[in-house]
Amino acid sequence: MNTLRKSFICLVLSLVVQAAATPVFAQGFSFKWWQTERFQKELVLTAEQVKRIEGIYQTTEPMLRAQKQAIDRREEKLSKVIQDPKSDEAMLLQATDRLEAARNELSRTRTLMLIRIRRVLNDEQIVKINAMHAKDRAEREKAERERKNNNKGPNKGPGRDDHPDCQ
C-alpha cells in the first residue's frame, strides 16, 4: 500500500476518533442543566435566571444546529476527497481546512453562548457550577476508564493505534 493511501486511512481514523470525542457532539445541544432540579437547587437559581438562560439558549440553538449540519456536510466532502483516487494533497488540505473552519465556528458560537449564560450567574453560583461540572466530568472519566478496562482482553481486536497502516 502506498504512503499516501496509508496517510488517508490514518487521517480518516483520526477524524472519526476526534469527532466521537468532541463533547458538543457527544451531548448534543439539548442538555438544559438550568431546568434540572439538581442545578436549580444547588445553584439556588431564580426563576428570572432560568428564564434568561433559556432565552440565551433558544436564541443560539438554531445557529448551533445549522453549524453542526455544516460540519456534517464538510465531513462528507472530506470523505469523498479521501476516497477519490484523483484527489491530490491540495484538495485534501482544502477540504480539511474547510472542515476545521466549520468546527471552529461551532466551537466559537457555543463558547459565546456559555459566556452569556455564565454572565447571568453570580460569583457564588459560578464557583458552585464549576465544582458540579468538575465532579460530573470526573465521574464520566472514571466510568469511561472502567468501561475501557472491562473491554480489554485477548479477543477484543486491534485498537486504532494497533492498525498496521498507522505505524
Side-chain angles (χ1 to χ4, degrees):
M1 194 180 293
N2 67 31
T3 304
L4 185 58
R5 186 164 172 87
K6 286 181 183 180
S7 297
F8 283 154
I9 291 170
C10 291
L11 175 65
V12 170
L13 290 172
S14 297
L15 289 173
V16 168
V17 169
Q18 181 181 359
T22 305
V24 72
F25 304 128
Q27 288 187 358
F29 306 117
S30 61
F31 177 61
K32 297 181 177 186
W33 56 264
W34 57 93
Q35 291 184 351
T36 66
E37 183 179 338
R38 174 183 170 223
F39 279 87
Q40 287 181 5
K41 190 180 221 181
E42 288 189 44
L43 296 176
V44 192
L45 291 174
T46 67
E48 177 62 26
Q49 285 177 310
V50 171
K51 182 180 175 184
R52 287 177 58 198
I53 293 169
E54 180 66 21
I56 292 166
Y57 175 80
Q58 290 299 326
T59 301
T60 310
E61 194 264 346
M63 194 178 329
L64 291 170
R65 289 206 183 276
Q67 290 170 343
K68 174 62 172 92
Q69 290 172 351
I71 288 170
D72 293 344
R73 287 190 305 273
R74 295 292 181 195
E75 286 176 339
E76 286 178 33
K77 288 180 182 178
L78 177 59
S79 292
K80 288 178 183 176
V81 169
I82 290 170
Q83 292 173 4
D84 185 355
K86 297 176 185 173
S87 296
D88 59 15
E89 284 187 23
M91 294 169 72
L92 174 66
L93 290 174
Q94 183 181 41
T96 302
D97 287 346
R98 288 180 177 169
L99 172 58
E100 292 307 319
R103 284 184 178 150
N104 182 55
E105 189 176 341
L106 175 67
S107 179
R108 195 171 122 218
T109 301
R110 182 177 177 274
T111 299
L112 286 172
M113 178 186 73
L114 294 174
I115 288 170
R116 290 174 182 141
I117 288 172
R118 296 247 174 171
R119 286 183 180 153
V120 172
L121 305 175
N122 64 38
D123 292 342
E124 185 179 325
Q125 289 170 322
I126 290 172
V127 170
K128 285 181 182 178
I129 197 169
N130 287 340
M132 292 172 75
H133 284 305
K135 180 183 174 196
D136 291 348
R137 185 181 314 111
E139 289 174 0
R140 280 192 309 272
E141 289 170 357
K142 180 182 176 188
E144 180 66 18
R145 280 191 307 273
E146 290 173 358
R147 185 189 65 77
K148 284 182 180 179
N149 287 336
N150 290 336
N151 286 336
K152 286 185 178 178
N155 297 324
K156 296 299 180 184
R160 181 181 65 100
D161 294 335
D162 298 331
H163 197 280
D165 290 333
C166 292
Q167 296 184 6

